[in-house]
Structures are given as structure tokens and as C-alpha cells.
Amino acid sequence: MIVAGPLSPPSRLRRIRNRAYRLSRLLLNTLLQLHWLWPWAGQSRDPTPVVLRAAAQLQPEAPDQWLALGGDPQFEVANLRACPKGWVRLSGQCSAGPAGGLPRLYVDSGRGYREQRSIAMTYGPDRRSFSAELRLPLRTLQLRLDPTTRAGRFRIEGLSVKRLPADQQLSRLSLAILRRLAWPLRPLLNRLLPRLGLSLQNLRYRAWIRRTEPAGSTHRGAVAAHIQRLADRPLISIVMPVYNTPLRFLQQAVASVQAQLYPHWQLCIADDASPDPRVRDWLSTAAASDPRIRLVFCEQNGGIVAASNAALDLAAGEYLGFLDHDDRLSELALYYVALEINRDPRPEVIYTDEDKIDERGRRFMPHLKPDWNPELLLSNNYIAHLAIYRRRLVEDVGRLRAGTDGSQDYDLILRCTARCRPEQVRHIPVVLYHWRAIHGSTARAASAKTYTQTAGYRALSHHLHDVPGARIEDGRYPNMYRVRFPLGDPPPRVSIIIPTRDGFDHLSQCLRSLRELTAYPNFEVLIVDNQSRDPATLRLFDEQAQMPDTRVLPFDAPFNYAAINNMAAGQASGELLLLLNDDIEITDPDWLAEMVSWVLRPGIAVVGAKLLYPDQTVQHAGVVLGAGGVAGHGHLGSAAESPGYMGRLWQPQRVSAVTAACLLVRREVFEALGGLDAQNLPVAFNDVDLCLRVAETGRHIVWTPHACLIHHESKSRGLDDTPQKRERFEREIAYMHERWGPQLWNDPFYHPGFSMKLADYSLSAEPAPYWPWPGGDQRYA
């Protein structure tokens, strides 16, 4: 039963809000009439061509053709005085594309160039055109453009700057003022806005919607024409069990299906003996007025599983989707599903992103999901809505299983995906489902229906019934679980490789905590001495050499992290190799057992750990490809106990890469790939490169938060703060772009709607380039 939500804001607050809105509109219109007073008024609105001159690491070869001599080429704008000021859009084309890193702009208005104030430009779907909006102060002294982050030839052309229209100028100016005012008032706003039915997070999400989703109806004609060009236009059956739904929510749910731009659908409704006669009457009227709506009335209340199976009896489509009786679909939902169906290979399961809507239809809390991530699915049903299945697959697994009411969708996705190849489970990275969040619903709070935790436990137990020794525990949040896998008997031997140089303090702490706290019974320690000279460190080596299962290996050559680990791996005796920095401190007895239990799972070759700074903030929780130009750490700086985005910091999951500061890898995989790349990546990114090469073989990388360690980062090597180190770092960046190219900009486990600048799972401030309009995203072109 659905209980009514909270009352709307008091009428007095509503009047205040309406008056404030009218006053702001009046002020806006007044200022727009006075825009001729602005210092940048009267400037041409036509694009102004930008003339570039080489400033550093650039050599001209032909008109618009340049050679970057290093990893930090720089242009300066030669005709800055002719460029408009205020809020402008700078755009152009660069042949280097995203593989060469994002172009960056630097504005000097009297304080010099500052990295923290630089502006990253974004590429469009053609991967050549780039643009950015920025504010050029009236006293701008210099404007610098860094076009790429790698050496090599490239073309840059069509560069121009155009002043934004007056209303956009004022809008951005007002927003900048509000941001300055809002920060000191943040605590007050966090208390006041909920009383008005608002929050800062929701306001940011609504702004993101305006940037990323099509407005109005201008797109509908293009969508209709594209549908007619599709080679396959399958019938999609939407299954909707109904029980005593508030009539207005039920009407909205049905209307959202009828509003689909993709016309080849049917809505299969099973009323589960609703006691409210108005529900039955309205459903009968709706079915009579639209032949695409099929309806059955159950004689007695049998629960959501029985009602869903009754609705399935009505389905005739090749594909099935499930819609809750008070939720809504985006009008584009089935269109995107049809586009995905037309891709090869033909999918068996499709899922989309989702958000929540309140009683008044306001959208909030988007769930932007990763691509297929079976390890994450073992912790919770991250797929949820909208899920589309091939009908034949649902019939083959026996439809919805009796006794799973409350987690019937979790049980079905586990059973269906168990029969699919990875390429047959596909993710559409667009918010297409709006989950109703009212009091009493699981969308409002997972704890609202405690029986769902038990039902989910039964579904997961059934899924893991053929894994001897697997144990399921409750997770840290309702409807979240933790699976513990067996280690084998006996547990495999682990060779722990620790490179070091004159690192007595942190190495002694690392070794002491390793031996005193690690509960895993079968490991050896290989300490690699890279030209140590410190007497205390040398005495420590002598002491360690006397310890059982411990060896000190000399590496008498300049520092090369990859070569050091490769040499030690060749002398290791373990089936598993653990690469460990000497500035790691062990704090959890089960850390190694947790990592080993995951790396022994079929298809998994590499496992990473959760690393914390000494101040108890997150240093590593998996690597995000593309962040910072090559790769960066996700959730960097989050509190140690923070759940992260949608609980991701609490759940093991598949990632694209993990750091070699603590990396467990199967020895046969490491050797088959030739270890770390010591020639091209002696220091940086060799761990990312290894993980990407592992993924090329079809194996997977997993990060687990249940192995948590302290990382005293940069103590052993220092920073890249000399010209020689910077030059080496630039060569490594260039190699990564050359070797992996566009793959660095398509992390399957980090949503394209997230910020690539911060890698913190926050919404991107740029218009989303991933919306697959006809002729846009190549996936759907």
C-alpha cells in the first residue's frame, strides 16, 4: 500500500517563492533593456577569427599544420585586442582529437597563468571540433591555448571567438554572483531549500538536465524519420502489474507509454485484484480506447510476481520491459531501446539509467550506471530500471520465480544474465526511467520495505548455489550485500614484491604491519633494493634476509619501477604476485585474503585495494580512464567512511584499472603479457597499461573496498618536479595516447555524464556528448 507523501510547502512560503520569482524576472528584463550600458556592448556578434603564434614546443610546418616538440605545446593569441570580452565561446578544430588530451585555455588578467584556473575544452562527436565557454575580463593581458598533451604533428584550424548573446551574458554573470553569495550561506540554504521542496543537489541536477536533454519538440521529427530507417523495428511489450495505485500516478504511468516516440509497443497490464473500483474502471476505459493496451484482471490478490506473470501471458513482443504502476518512462525510452536492438550482436538484456520523481513529478537523484558490471551486481541490483529482456530468454529461465516478491527484478536479472555472454548485456547511458519516490516506496528509502532485503538474499543465494563455500552477508546499507568467496585448500602462495631505496622509516613500518597484522597464511616477501646507501636501511635488509620466506634482491640500475617489478617477478615462487609500495601500511588482517578470494574467481586476473591517505581520505578506489588526460583515481579525497556515489565505495566492482601501489595479479597472466612495460613506461601509467592489456585478453580487473590500507604516497620516489622527470612524464603520456587512443576516453565503468576533470562522480559541467542522436554518436549512426 502506498501512503501519501508529505504536505506541500506552507502557503506562506509558496507566496514568498512566487514573489521572489516574479521579482527576479522583473530585474532580469530590466537589465536586459539596459544591456547597452555594459562595457562589452556594441561589439560585433559575428565570430572573430583567432590568430595564434607559437609560444613553446611548437614548430610550424605549413599553414595550420604544426609539429609539437614535446608534451606541453603552447600557443598565445596574437590578436587578443580584437577579441570580444565578457562571456564568449571559443571553438575550432584540431586533428589531434581526444587521444591527444583535452585542449586547455589559460587566461592571464594580471596574475599570470594558473593551472587551477585553466579551462578544459571539450570535443564534439566528430572528435575534431572543440569548444568552451569562458569569461574574458576587460583587462585580459594574455590568452594561452595548449592544444594537445603529446608530441607529434597536428592541424588546428577554424579557431574563432564569439560573444554570447546578452541574455546568456547576464545569466552567467548572475550565476557567478549567486555562487559567491551562496557559499557562505550554504548551511542556511541547506536548511531553507528543503522547506521549499528544493536542494542544492537537485538544483544542480536540473541544470544538468537542461544542458544534456533535448528541450521542446524539435527533436521529434528527426527521431520519427530515423525510426523509419531502422532495419529492424521489433514489437516491445511493456509489462505492468497494478495494485490499488493512486489514480493520478497510474494515469501518468500509462500516459508515459502512450507518449513513446517509438510506435511499435504494447502495454500488458495485470490488475492484482485492486480493492479500489476506480482503478478497475479506469483501466477498462484505457484498454477500450487504445488497442495497444492489453488488460487482465486477476481473480484474487497473488502478489507482484503472480501479477507480472499474468501480464506476461498477454505479451506478444520479441522484447519485454517492466514498468512499475506509478513510475514513468521518458518519451525516448523505447526509441533508444530499438536503436540498441539494431546493433550487432543482438542483445539479450538492455538496461538504462534512471532517476527519481516525487509526488509533484520533480526529478532528482539520478543513477548514472556503469556498463555491464557483474561483480557490482553481486552487491546490489544496480541495474533496476529500465530493464529490457528478450522474451525468449525470460521464458527459458521460467519467468519470474515464485517466492521472490520484493526482489523479483533482482532475481530475474541474475538468472537471465547468467545465460548471457558479456556482449549481450548492454547499457544505454541515458536517463530514460523515472522511479516514483513517495513515502512507503523503495525508491524513497531502501529501508521502507525491509522484506526486500530478505528476498534479495534468497535471490543471491539461488544465483550462487553452485559456488561451494560462498557466504552472503548483509552489506552496509539496506538491499546491499557482501559475498565472501572461498580461498581454496590450501590457499595459493602469494609473492609480495616491495621495491625500495633508502626508505628505512616507511619500509620498516610496512614490513612490521605486514607481518603483525596479515592473517593470510601463505606468502613470501621479496624486497627489491634499488641502490640503497643509507646505513639504517642496509641493516634492515640484513635483518630481513634472516626472516623466513623473505629475500632481499638487488637492482643495481637507475630507478625503473616497471623493470624492478619484472625482475622480482621472475624470481618469485608464488602463483600470485602482489605489487606493493614500500609506503603502504597494513591496517586490516583480512586484506590479503579478500584480494586473493576475488582474483581466484573465473575470468578475473587483477585485483586492487582501497587505499587511504593518513588523514583518512580516499587515495585510490579504482582508476578512471581519461581523467586528467590519461587516467586518474575515482572518488579521490572522499572521506574514508563515505559510501561514495550510489554506494560504490562500499561495494566490490569491476574497474578499468587499479594502481600498482597494491595490485594482485595472476602470475601466469603477468608473464604471458611480458610484465610491466619497462621500455615505454618506466615510472608512470605502467599499471594502467598492464590492466588495459589484461582486459584485451578478455580477463577482468576488480577493485574491493574490503581490503583497506594506508598509503603514504610519494614518500619512496618523490614528485615529478625536475625538468628531466617532467620530460619523462610527458613521454609516458604521449605513449599512452599513442598506444590506447580513444579507449582512454571511453571508460565503460565511469559514466560519460560525469566530470572528467575531477573523476569524483559529479555531474559534468559540459553539455553531454554522448546523447546518441541520429548522425551523432557513432554507436547509433
Side-chain angles (χ1 to χ4, degrees), residues 580-628:
L580 191 70
N581 277 19
D582 63 354
D583 54 358
I584 293 289
E585 180 183 355
I586 311 301
T587 58
D588 175 16
D590 294 328
W591 71 281
L592 188 52
E594 170 71 11
M595 297 181 73
V596 171
S597 71
W598 277 106
V599 84
L600 294 180
R601 297 288 298 148
I604 296 175
V606 175
V607 175
K610 180 179 181 179
L611 302 181
L612 304 178
Y613 288 116
D615 65 357
Q616 293 297 297
T617 58
V618 172
Q619 188 265 338
H620 173 260
V623 169
V624 174
L625 300 181

Short mmCIF file of all heavy atoms in Angstrom, two decimals, residues 580-628:
data_model
loop_
_atom_site.label_atom_id
_atom_site.label_comp_id
_atom_site.label_asym_id
_atom_site.label_seq_id
_atom_site.Cartn_x
_atom_site.Cartn_y
_atom_site.Cartn_z
N LEU A 580 53.51 -4.15 -4.25
CA LEU A 580 53.21 -3.36 -3.06
C LEU A 580 54.25 -2.26 -2.88
O LEU A 580 55.45 -2.53 -2.86
CB LEU A 580 53.19 -4.26 -1.81
CG LEU A 580 52.64 -3.65 -0.52
CD1 LEU A 580 51.14 -3.43 -0.62
CD2 LEU A 580 52.97 -4.54 0.68
N ASN A 581 53.79 -1.03 -2.74
CA ASN A 581 54.72 0.08 -2.44
C ASN A 581 55.27 -0.05 -1.03
O ASN A 581 54.60 -0.56 -0.13
CB ASN A 581 54.00 1.42 -2.59
CG ASN A 581 53.95 1.91 -4.03
OD1 ASN A 581 54.12 1.12 -4.96
ND2 ASN A 581 53.72 3.19 -4.20
N ASP A 582 56.48 0.47 -0.84
CA ASP A 582 57.09 0.38 0.48
C ASP A 582 56.50 1.38 1.46
O ASP A 582 56.84 1.36 2.65
CB ASP A 582 58.61 0.55 0.39
CG ASP A 582 59.01 1.93 -0.13
OD1 ASP A 582 58.11 2.70 -0.54
OD2 ASP A 582 60.22 2.22 -0.17
N ASP A 583 55.62 2.27 0.98
CA ASP A 583 54.99 3.23 1.89
C ASP A 583 53.53 2.86 2.19
O ASP A 583 52.72 3.71 2.55
CB ASP A 583 55.06 4.65 1.32
CG ASP A 583 54.50 4.74 -0.10
OD1 ASP A 583 54.08 3.71 -0.65
OD2 ASP A 583 54.49 5.86 -0.66
N ILE A 584 53.22 1.57 2.07
CA ILE A 584 51.89 1.05 2.43
C ILE A 584 51.93 0.56 3.87
O ILE A 584 52.88 -0.11 4.28
CB ILE A 584 51.47 -0.10 1.49
CG1 ILE A 584 51.25 0.41 0.07
CG2 ILE A 584 50.23 -0.80 2.02
CD1 ILE A 584 50.02 1.26 -0.11
N GLU A 585 50.89 0.88 4.60
CA GLU A 585 50.76 0.41 5.99
C GLU A 585 49.52 -0.47 6.09
O GLU A 585 48.41 -0.07 5.73
CB GLU A 585 50.63 1.60 6.94
CG GLU A 585 50.48 1.22 8.40
CD GLU A 585 50.29 2.43 9.29
OE1 GLU A 585 50.37 3.56 8.78
OE2 GLU A 585 50.04 2.23 10.50
N ILE A 586 49.71 -1.69 6.59
CA ILE A 586 48.61 -2.65 6.73
C ILE A 586 47.81 -2.31 7.99
O ILE A 586 48.39 -2.10 9.07
CB ILE A 586 49.14 -4.10 6.83
CG1 ILE A 586 50.16 -4.38 5.71
CG2 ILE A 586 48.00 -5.08 6.81
CD1 ILE A 586 49.61 -4.19 4.32
N THR A 587 46.49 -2.28 7.85
CA THR A 587 45.62 -1.99 8.99
C THR A 587 44.52 -3.03 9.17
O THR A 587 43.83 -3.02 10.18
CB THR A 587 44.97 -0.60 8.84
OG1 THR A 587 44.23 -0.57 7.61
CG2 THR A 587 46.03 0.50 8.83
N ASP A 588 44.34 -3.92 8.18
CA ASP A 588 43.22 -4.87 8.18
C ASP A 588 43.76 -6.28 8.06
O ASP A 588 44.41 -6.61 7.06
CB ASP A 588 42.28 -4.54 7.02
CG ASP A 588 41.15 -5.54 6.87
OD1 ASP A 588 40.91 -6.31 7.82
OD2 ASP A 588 40.51 -5.56 5.80
N PRO A 589 43.54 -7.16 9.03
CA PRO A 589 44.08 -8.53 8.95
C PRO A 589 43.60 -9.31 7.74
O PRO A 589 44.32 -10.18 7.23
CB PRO A 589 43.58 -9.17 10.26
CG PRO A 589 43.31 -8.03 11.18
CD PRO A 589 42.85 -6.90 10.31
N ASP A 590 42.39 -9.04 7.24
CA ASP A 590 41.82 -9.85 6.15
C ASP A 590 42.08 -9.27 4.77
O ASP A 590 41.50 -9.74 3.78
CB ASP A 590 40.31 -10.01 6.36
CG ASP A 590 39.98 -10.81 7.61
OD1 ASP A 590 40.77 -11.71 7.96
OD2 ASP A 590 38.94 -10.53 8.24
N TRP A 591 42.94 -8.26 4.67
CA TRP A 591 43.10 -7.57 3.39
C TRP A 591 43.56 -8.50 2.28
O TRP A 591 43.01 -8.48 1.16
CB TRP A 591 44.08 -6.40 3.54
CG TRP A 591 45.52 -6.83 3.74
CD1 TRP A 591 46.09 -7.27 4.90
CD2 TRP A 591 46.53 -6.88 2.74
NE1 TRP A 591 47.42 -7.59 4.69
CE2 TRP A 591 47.72 -7.35 3.38
CE3 TRP A 591 46.59 -6.57 1.39
CZ2 TRP A 591 48.92 -7.53 2.69
CZ3 TRP A 591 47.79 -6.74 0.69
CH2 TRP A 591 48.93 -7.21 1.35
N LEU A 592 44.55 -9.33 2.56
CA LEU A 592 45.11 -10.18 1.52
C LEU A 592 44.16 -11.33 1.18
O LEU A 592 44.02 -11.71 0.00
CB LEU A 592 46.49 -10.71 1.95
CG LEU A 592 47.29 -11.48 0.89
CD1 LEU A 592 47.40 -10.67 -0.40
CD2 LEU A 592 48.67 -11.83 1.42
N ALA A 593 43.51 -11.88 2.18
CA ALA A 593 42.53 -12.94 1.92
C ALA A 593 41.40 -12.43 1.03
O ALA A 593 40.92 -13.14 0.13
CB ALA A 593 41.98 -13.48 3.24
N GLU A 594 40.96 -11.20 1.28
CA GLU A 594 39.91 -10.61 0.45
C GLU A 594 40.36 -10.49 -1.00
O GLU A 594 39.61 -10.84 -1.93
CB GLU A 594 39.53 -9.24 1.01
CG GLU A 594 38.63 -8.41 0.13
CD GLU A 594 37.21 -8.92 0.02
OE1 GLU A 594 36.83 -9.81 0.80
OE2 GLU A 594 36.47 -8.42 -0.85
N MET A 595 41.58 -10.01 -1.22
CA MET A 595 42.06 -9.84 -2.59
C MET A 595 42.25 -11.18 -3.28
O MET A 595 41.91 -11.34 -4.47
CB MET A 595 43.36 -9.04 -2.58
CG MET A 595 43.21 -7.62 -2.04
SD MET A 595 44.75 -6.66 -2.05
CE MET A 595 44.95 -6.34 -3.81
N VAL A 596 42.79 -12.15 -2.57
CA VAL A 596 43.01 -13.47 -3.16
C VAL A 596 41.68 -14.12 -3.52
O VAL A 596 41.53 -14.75 -4.58
CB VAL A 596 43.82 -14.37 -2.20
CG1 VAL A 596 43.85 -15.81 -2.71
CG2 VAL A 596 45.24 -13.83 -2.05
N SER A 597 40.67 -13.97 -2.66
CA SER A 597 39.38 -14.61 -2.93
C SER A 597 38.77 -14.08 -4.22
O SER A 597 38.06 -14.82 -4.93
CB SER A 597 38.43 -14.38 -1.75
OG SER A 597 38.01 -13.02 -1.67
N TRP A 598 39.02 -12.83 -4.57
CA TRP A 598 38.49 -12.28 -5.81
C TRP A 598 39.32 -12.68 -7.02
O TRP A 598 38.78 -12.99 -8.09
CB TRP A 598 38.40 -10.76 -5.73
CG TRP A 598 37.17 -10.28 -5.04
CD1 TRP A 598 37.07 -9.74 -3.79
CD2 TRP A 598 35.83 -10.30 -5.56
NE1 TRP A 598 35.76 -9.43 -3.49
CE2 TRP A 598 34.98 -9.75 -4.56
CE3 TRP A 598 35.27 -10.73 -6.75
CZ2 TRP A 598 33.61 -9.62 -4.74
CZ3 TRP A 598 33.90 -10.60 -6.94
CH2 TRP A 598 33.08 -10.06 -5.94
N VAL A 599 40.66 -12.69 -6.89
CA VAL A 599 41.48 -12.99 -8.06
C VAL A 599 41.34 -14.46 -8.47
O VAL A 599 41.65 -14.82 -9.63
CB VAL A 599 42.96 -12.63 -7.79
CG1 VAL A 599 43.69 -13.75 -7.05
CG2 VAL A 599 43.68 -12.25 -9.08
N LEU A 600 40.87 -15.31 -7.58
CA LEU A 600 40.65 -16.72 -7.91
C LEU A 600 39.34 -16.95 -8.64
O LEU A 600 39.09 -18.06 -9.13
CB LEU A 600 40.68 -17.57 -6.64
CG LEU A 600 42.02 -17.63 -5.90
CD1 LEU A 600 41.90 -18.51 -4.66
CD2 LEU A 600 43.12 -18.16 -6.82
N ARG A 601 38.49 -15.94 -8.73
CA ARG A 601 37.22 -16.09 -9.43
C ARG A 601 37.46 -16.25 -10.93
O ARG A 601 38.37 -15.64 -11.49
CB ARG A 601 36.31 -14.87 -9.19
CG ARG A 601 35.91 -14.67 -7.73
CD ARG A 601 34.90 -15.72 -7.30
NE ARG A 601 33.68 -15.62 -8.10
CZ ARG A 601 32.92 -16.67 -8.41
NH1 ARG A 601 33.26 -17.88 -8.02
NH2 ARG A 601 31.82 -16.49 -9.12
N PRO A 602 36.66 -17.05 -11.61
CA PRO A 602 36.85 -17.25 -13.06
C PRO A 602 36.78 -15.93 -13.81
O PRO A 602 35.91 -15.10 -13.59
CB PRO A 602 35.68 -18.16 -13.44
CG PRO A 602 35.29 -18.87 -12.17
CD PRO A 602 35.56 -17.89 -11.07
N GLY A 603 37.75 -15.72 -14.70
CA GLY A 603 37.76 -14.54 -15.55
C GLY A 603 38.43 -13.33 -14.95
O GLY A 603 38.66 -12.33 -15.66
N ILE A 604 38.76 -13.35 -13.67
CA ILE A 604 39.39 -12.20 -13.00
C ILE A 604 40.90 -12.44 -12.93
O ILE A 604 41.34 -13.52 -12.52
CB ILE A 604 38.79 -11.97 -11.61
CG1 ILE A 604 37.30 -11.61 -11.74
CG2 ILE A 604 39.54 -10.87 -10.87
CD1 ILE A 604 36.59 -11.46 -10.41
N ALA A 605 41.69 -11.44 -13.31
CA ALA A 605 43.14 -11.60 -13.31
C ALA A 605 43.85 -10.60 -12.42
O ALA A 605 44.98 -10.86 -11.99
CB ALA A 605 43.68 -11.46 -14.74
N VAL A 606 43.21 -9.45 -12.14
CA VAL A 606 43.86 -8.40 -11.36
C VAL A 606 42.87 -7.89 -10.32
O VAL A 606 41.68 -7.74 -10.60
CB VAL A 606 44.32 -7.22 -12.25
CG1 VAL A 606 44.87 -6.08 -11.41
CG2 VAL A 606 45.35 -7.69 -13.27
N VAL A 607 43.37 -7.62 -9.10
CA VAL A 607 42.53 -7.09 -8.02
C VAL A 607 43.28 -5.94 -7.36
O VAL A 607 44.50 -6.04 -7.11
CB VAL A 607 42.17 -8.17 -6.98
CG1 VAL A 607 41.40 -7.55 -5.81
CG2 VAL A 607 41.36 -9.28 -7.61
N GLY A 608 42.56 -4.85 -7.09
CA GLY A 608 43.13 -3.71 -6.40
C GLY A 608 42.45 -3.47 -5.07
O GLY A 608 41.36 -4.00 -4.80
N ALA A 609 43.07 -2.67 -4.22
CA ALA A 609 42.59 -2.42 -2.85
C ALA A 609 42.15 -0.98 -2.70
O ALA A 609 42.46 -0.11 -3.52
CB ALA A 609 43.70 -2.74 -1.85
N LYS A 610 41.44 -0.73 -1.61
CA LYS A 610 41.08 0.63 -1.22
C LYS A 610 42.25 1.20 -0.42
O LYS A 610 42.64 0.65 0.60
CB LYS A 610 39.81 0.62 -0.39
CG LYS A 610 39.34 2.00 0.07
CD LYS A 610 38.04 1.90 0.87
CE LYS A 610 37.54 3.27 1.31
NZ LYS A 610 36.25 3.16 2.06
N LEU A 611 42.78 2.32 -0.89
CA LEU A 611 43.92 2.96 -0.22
C LEU A 611 43.49 4.31 0.33
O LEU A 611 42.81 5.08 -0.36
CB LEU A 611 45.08 3.15 -1.20
CG LEU A 611 45.61 1.86 -1.88
CD1 LEU A 611 46.78 2.19 -2.80
CD2 LEU A 611 46.00 0.82 -0.85
N LEU A 612 43.90 4.57 1.56
CA LEU A 612 43.58 5.82 2.24
C LEU A 612 44.85 6.61 2.51
O LEU A 612 45.92 6.03 2.78
CB LEU A 612 42.86 5.55 3.57
CG LEU A 612 41.58 4.72 3.54
CD1 LEU A 612 41.06 4.52 4.96
CD2 LEU A 612 40.52 5.38 2.67
N TYR A 613 44.73 7.94 2.44
CA TYR A 613 45.80 8.78 2.94
C TYR A 613 45.83 8.69 4.47
O TYR A 613 44.85 8.28 5.10
CB TYR A 613 45.56 10.23 2.54
CG TYR A 613 45.78 10.53 1.08
CD1 TYR A 613 44.72 10.94 0.27
CD2 TYR A 613 47.05 10.43 0.51
CE1 TYR A 613 44.92 11.24 -1.07
CE2 TYR A 613 47.25 10.72 -0.83
CZ TYR A 613 46.18 11.12 -1.61
OH TYR A 613 46.38 11.42 -2.94
N PRO A 614 46.92 9.09 5.10
CA PRO A 614 46.97 9.07 6.57
C PRO A 614 45.88 9.91 7.23
O PRO A 614 45.52 9.66 8.38
CB PRO A 614 48.37 9.62 6.89
CG PRO A 614 49.19 9.29 5.69
CD PRO A 614 48.25 9.42 4.52
N ASP A 615 45.34 10.91 6.52
CA ASP A 615 44.27 11.72 7.10
C ASP A 615 42.89 11.10 6.92
O ASP A 615 41.88 11.76 7.14
CB ASP A 615 44.29 13.14 6.51
CG ASP A 615 43.96 13.15 5.02
OD1 ASP A 615 43.78 12.06 4.43
OD2 ASP A 615 43.89 14.25 4.44
N GLN A 616 42.87 9.82 6.53
CA GLN A 616 41.62 9.06 6.40
C GLN A 616 40.72 9.59 5.28
O GLN A 616 39.49 9.62 5.40
CB GLN A 616 40.86 9.02 7.72
CG GLN A 616 41.56 8.22 8.81
CD GLN A 616 41.71 6.74 8.46
OE1 GLN A 616 40.72 6.04 8.30
NE2 GLN A 616 42.94 6.28 8.32
N THR A 617 41.33 10.00 4.17
CA THR A 617 40.58 10.29 2.96
C THR A 617 41.04 9.32 1.88
O THR A 617 42.15 8.76 1.94
CB THR A 617 40.79 11.74 2.49
OG1 THR A 617 42.20 11.97 2.27
CG2 THR A 617 40.27 12.72 3.54
N VAL A 618 40.21 9.13 0.87
CA VAL A 618 40.46 8.11 -0.15
C VAL A 618 41.56 8.56 -1.10
O VAL A 618 41.52 9.66 -1.66
CB VAL A 618 39.17 7.81 -0.94
CG1 VAL A 618 39.46 6.90 -2.13
CG2 VAL A 618 38.11 7.19 -0.03
N GLN A 619 42.57 7.71 -1.27
CA GLN A 619 43.62 7.94 -2.26
C GLN A 619 43.38 7.11 -3.52
O GLN A 619 43.63 7.57 -4.63
CB GLN A 619 44.99 7.59 -1.68
CG GLN A 619 46.17 7.99 -2.57
CD GLN A 619 46.66 6.83 -3.45
OE1 GLN A 619 46.44 5.67 -3.14
NE2 GLN A 619 47.32 7.17 -4.56
N HIS A 620 42.85 5.90 -3.34
CA HIS A 620 42.60 5.02 -4.50
C HIS A 620 41.35 4.20 -4.28
O HIS A 620 41.20 3.53 -3.26
CB HIS A 620 43.78 4.08 -4.73
CG HIS A 620 43.52 3.05 -5.80
ND1 HIS A 620 43.16 1.76 -5.49
CD2 HIS A 620 43.54 3.14 -7.15
CE1 HIS A 620 42.98 1.08 -6.62
NE2 HIS A 620 43.20 1.91 -7.64
N ALA A 621 40.44 4.30 -5.26
CA ALA A 621 39.23 3.46 -5.26
C ALA A 621 38.94 3.03 -6.70
O ALA A 621 37.81 3.05 -7.16
CB ALA A 621 38.05 4.22 -4.67
N GLY A 622 39.99 2.66 -7.41
CA GLY A 622 39.86 2.33 -8.81
C GLY A 622 40.29 3.50 -9.68
O GLY A 622 40.25 4.65 -9.26
N VAL A 623 40.72 3.19 -10.88
CA VAL A 623 41.24 4.19 -11.81
C VAL A 623 40.18 4.50 -12.86
O VAL A 623 39.52 3.61 -13.39
CB VAL A 623 42.53 3.69 -12.48
CG1 VAL A 623 42.95 4.58 -13.64
CG2 VAL A 623 43.65 3.60 -11.45
N VAL A 624 40.03 5.80 -13.15
CA VAL A 624 39.10 6.27 -14.19
C VAL A 624 39.92 6.66 -15.41
O VAL A 624 40.78 7.55 -15.33
CB VAL A 624 38.27 7.47 -13.69
CG1 VAL A 624 37.42 8.04 -14.82
CG2 VAL A 624 37.39 7.06 -12.52
N LEU A 625 39.66 6.02 -16.53
CA LEU A 625 40.37 6.34 -17.76
C LEU A 625 39.97 7.73 -18.25
O LEU A 625 38.81 8.11 -18.19
CB LEU A 625 40.07 5.31 -18.84
CG LEU A 625 40.44 3.85 -18.54
CD1 LEU A 625 40.10 2.97 -19.73
CD2 LEU A 625 41.91 3.73 -18.20
N GLY A 626 40.95 8.47 -18.75
CA GLY A 626 40.69 9.79 -19.31
C GLY A 626 40.80 10.93 -18.33
O GLY A 626 40.99 12.07 -18.73
N ALA A 627 40.64 10.65 -17.06
CA ALA A 627 40.70 11.72 -16.06
C ALA A 627 42.11 12.31 -16.03
O ALA A 627 43.10 11.58 -15.95
CB ALA A 627 40.33 11.17 -14.68
N GLY A 628 42.19 13.62 -16.10
CA GLY A 628 43.48 14.28 -16.08
C GLY A 628 44.28 14.12 -17.35
O GLY A 628 45.48 14.43 -17.37
#
